[in-house]
Amino acid sequence: IEIRKSAKVHSYELCELCRDSPNTLIQLLKHFPDEPWNYGDLSFNPNITGEYVLKHLFKPWCWMKFCAVVDFYFIQNHPELPWRILGTWISGNRTMPFSFFLEHPELDWCYWELPKNPNFPVEYIILHTEFSWNASDSVNLTAEVILKYPKYPWNYYTISNSRVITPEFLLNNVDIFFDSESITTHPNISLKFIDNHPEFQWNRRYICDNPNMTLTYFQQHASELKSYHHRYLLMRNPAIDVYEASRFV
């Protein structure tokens, strides 16, 4: 991003644009301190650190949103700050310790967010069905856990997109109805495996979206992969050299 003093700053767009560029965001705030920044958006931007906020306490931070993105230990170490901890926001904080959840049953938790927290044991989620969450969303989910609890109401659409999916897992669970598009485009599934195992319901309409796709494979299957949809997916696939692909697509 080229920073110019004369540039017109659009707070929301810049906050979104800089979500993956922390240094750029801080530089913009430094160069345009008098612009009408939306501190609601900034408070929810993970690039705004606790240290930055401490140096700019005079700004109108949204403490409810900031508690969702700042390191949880910063919250614990600074009880003097005007935190507004709501379950609906703090649920998305991936650094929140599991013990905090146990200690605060009174909060209005977003249960579908909590399994994505690596501090939450997957078996606790499985055994506590009184909460409206599903262990299929757990970042700690493993193939062993799925097989250990066969009667659990697994969401196989979600699992089809998870790191649990491997060739071995598919071969050992041929009776499970996986999402065809998801397993076809899964990075753990090679094109050779797809070709060698037609017993699975592959969705070959999306095969060009598989990150293991190569131009050689595409050329070898040109008669099948000739639709506009196939070519479109090929050209947007990060594994494909667009310049090389454009020579024959």
Side-chain angles (χ1 to χ4, degrees), residues 81-125:
L81 296 178
W83 301 109
R84 188 184 176 196
I85 297 181
L86 298 180
T88 49
W89 286 96
I90 199 69
S91 299
N93 191 316
R94 303 292 184 255
T95 63
M96 179 184 68
F98 179 55
S99 58
F100 184 82
F101 167 76
L102 297 177
E103 293 164 2
H104 294 279
E106 78 283 359
L107 292 179
D108 184 20
W109 297 104
C110 285
Y111 288 100
W112 60 88
E113 285 284 354
L114 296 175
K116 301 171 188 176
N117 187 324
N119 298 320
F120 277 60
V122 63
E123 295 205 41
Y124 181 91
I125 298 171

Side-chain angles (χ1 to χ4, degrees), residues 110-227:
C110 285
Y111 288 100
W112 60 88
E113 285 284 354
L114 296 175
K116 301 171 188 176
N117 187 324
N119 298 320
F120 277 60
V122 63
E123 295 205 41
Y124 181 91
I125 298 171
I126 291 172
L127 297 175
H128 289 268
T129 55
E130 70 272 21
F131 301 127
S132 55
W133 55 22
N134 192 290
S136 305
D137 296 311
S138 174
V139 295
N140 296 317
L141 184 63
T142 64
E144 291 73 22
V145 170
I146 295 174
L147 297 177
K148 183 179 178 180
Y149 296 94
K151 294 184 179 180
Y152 185 79
W154 298 108
N155 182 332
Y156 283 103
Y157 175 81
T158 300
I159 291 175
S160 297
N161 287 284
S162 76
R163 60 186 178 83
V164 169
I165 296 298
T166 63
E168 294 74 23
F169 184 74
L170 292 181
L171 291 173
N172 292 331
N173 297 277
V174 293
D175 56 328
I176 293 177
F177 183 75
F178 296 102
D179 178 67
S180 61
E181 178 185 339
S182 299
I183 61 173
T184 302
T185 60
H186 200 287
N188 291 343
I189 303 302
S190 69
L191 302 175
K192 181 178 179 180
F193 183 84
I194 292 175
D195 289 343
N196 290 343
H197 293 279
E199 68 270 23
F200 293 104
Q201 298 298 313
W202 307 110
N203 189 335
R204 295 188 68 87
R205 187 169 186 264
Y206 291 91
I207 196 169
C208 290
D209 224 9
N210 187 303
N212 300 303
M213 174 59 67
T214 65
L215 290 178
T216 299
Y217 183 93
F218 185 84
Q219 288 176 304
Q220 291 173 345
H221 297 78
S223 60
E224 174 195 355
L225 310 178
K226 59 184 178 181
S227 71

Side-chain angles (χ1 to χ4, degrees), residues 20 45 65 152 197:
D20 297 323
N45 191 304
K65 292 183 178 180
Y152 185 79
H197 293 279

Side-chain angles (χ1 to χ4, degrees), residues 17 26 48 64 75 166 205 247:
L17 186 63
I26 298 303
I48 297 296
M64 175 182 66
I75 299 175
T166 63
R205 187 169 186 264
R247 296 167 59 184

Side-chain angles (χ1 to χ4, degrees), residues 3 6 15 18 31 38 49 58 69 72 74 78 80 96 113 123 125-126 142 165 180 182 195 201 204 211 230 245:
I3 301 175
S6 60
C15 285
C18 298
H31 281 75
N38 184 322
T49 64
F58 55 92
V69 294
F72 198 85
F74 180 84
H78 292 279
E80 76 281 4
M96 179 184 68
E113 285 284 354
E123 295 205 41
I125 298 171
I126 291 172
T142 64
I165 296 298
S180 61
S182 299
D195 289 343
Q201 298 298 313
R204 295 188 68 87
H230 286 119

